[in-house]
Amino acid sequence: MALVTPLSPEHDLETQKLAEFFNETLGFCPNSVLTMQRRPAISKAFINLNKAVMANEGRVTSALKRMIAWVSSNATGCRYCQAHAIRAAERYGAEQEQLDNIWEYRTHPAFSEAERAALDFSLAASQVPNAVNAEIKERLYEHWNEGEIVEMLGVISLFGYLNRWNDSMGTDIEEGAVESGKKYLEKHGYEIGKHDGSVY
């Protein structure tokens, strides 16, 4: 079981209504949100931030945002968020070749230079200490405008919160996310780890 037990999806009706957003992105309401609703102000603020961050106002596609989330989650080691991000990337139309080769984004021909710049930004911004530098900035500006860079950093920062939340909470991973993790990540050593419901 997780550090804190998730509540029923019907516990807070406002959270439940807002959480319909996740039926599109993941196909289910995440256990992380069901835990956050023990303080409904947190669950509602989180969902609204998630919706704002994932809105597309430039050329950063929904699929690329989820791949940015995966790279960030991989850098921090959160197995729960890795599976969620790759599942959402699949549901938002990431190319099969990209999903199959996300680990090799720096060299695989399925990724454009613009995507590589975005994913390297995610990796650098997710490290401690932070590794964003002049080279990362220069590469970003070759392909993206400032609004698009803000969208990317919004995703990275959102997943910084989620990585801390879910790894500390030991959030139980949902069946759909397990399936996506096995499908795309297991060949590279992905394991559910503490998110299998038996750690705490």
Side-chain angles (χ1 to χ4, degrees):
M1 290 294 293
L3 182 64
V4 174
T5 307
L7 295 173
S8 160
E10 293 80 32
H11 175 77
D12 180 76
L13 296 180
E14 289 180 70
T15 297
Q16 183 182 21
K17 182 66 178 169
L18 285 170
E20 290 175 4
F21 167 75
F22 295 108
N23 292 332
E24 178 186 326
T25 61
L26 296 168
F28 53 81
C29 182
N31 284 328
S32 54
V33 172
L34 299 179
T35 305
M36 287 178 208
Q37 70 176 343
R38 287 189 175 274
R39 293 294 180 264
I42 295 176
S43 59
K44 288 181 278 192
F46 165 73
I47 296 169
N48 281 320
L49 178 61
N50 199 318
K51 291 169 77 171
V53 164
M54 293 304 184
N56 300 317
E57 299 184 37
R59 295 169 298 139
V60 187
T61 65
S62 293
L64 179 56
K65 285 186 175 183
R66 274 62 184 197
M67 289 189 284
I68 288 169
W70 180 84
V71 168
S72 181
S73 299
N74 190 49
T76 61
C78 181
R79 304 300 200 174
Y80 181 89
C81 292
Q82 287 173 36
H84 277 226
I86 204 73
R87 179 177 181 81
E90 177 183 31
R91 290 175 67 88
Y92 276 100
E95 296 175 19
Q96 186 69 43
E97 205 170 2
Q98 290 183 324
L99 293 167
D100 287 335
N101 297 283
I102 187 75
W103 293 81
E104 289 86 32
Y105 76 83
R106 284 183 163 160
T107 57
H108 198 279
F111 296 88
S112 69
E113 288 304 315
E115 290 168 331
R116 288 189 183 107
L119 297 172
D120 275 347
F121 176 42
S122 180
L123 180 61
S126 302
Q127 294 178 24
V128 178
N130 190 290
V132 176
N133 57 23
E135 179 191 354
I136 294 284
K137 178 180 178 180
E138 182 180 348
R139 289 179 58 215
L140 282 172
Y141 274 80
E142 286 175 10
H143 304 284
W144 306 101
N145 66 39
E146 290 185 333
E148 291 163 340
I149 293 168
V150 165
E151 284 190 54
M152 292 178 206
L153 190 53
V155 174
I156 296 162
S157 300
L158 177 73
F159 273 80
Y161 170 81
L162 282 169
N163 295 159
R164 297 290 186 274
W165 181 277
N166 290 303
D167 251 3
S168 299
M169 190 65 69
T171 308
D172 294 349
I173 194 165
E174 308 82 2
E175 186 53 43
V178 171
E179 178 186 336
S180 296
K182 288 182 176 179
K183 183 175 181 181
Y184 295 110
L185 308 176
E186 195 171 53
K187 63 188 173 191
H188 295 286
Y190 173 84
E191 297 173 351
I192 296 169
K194 67 171 69 175
H195 305 285
D196 68 358
S198 64
V199 174
Y200 293 122

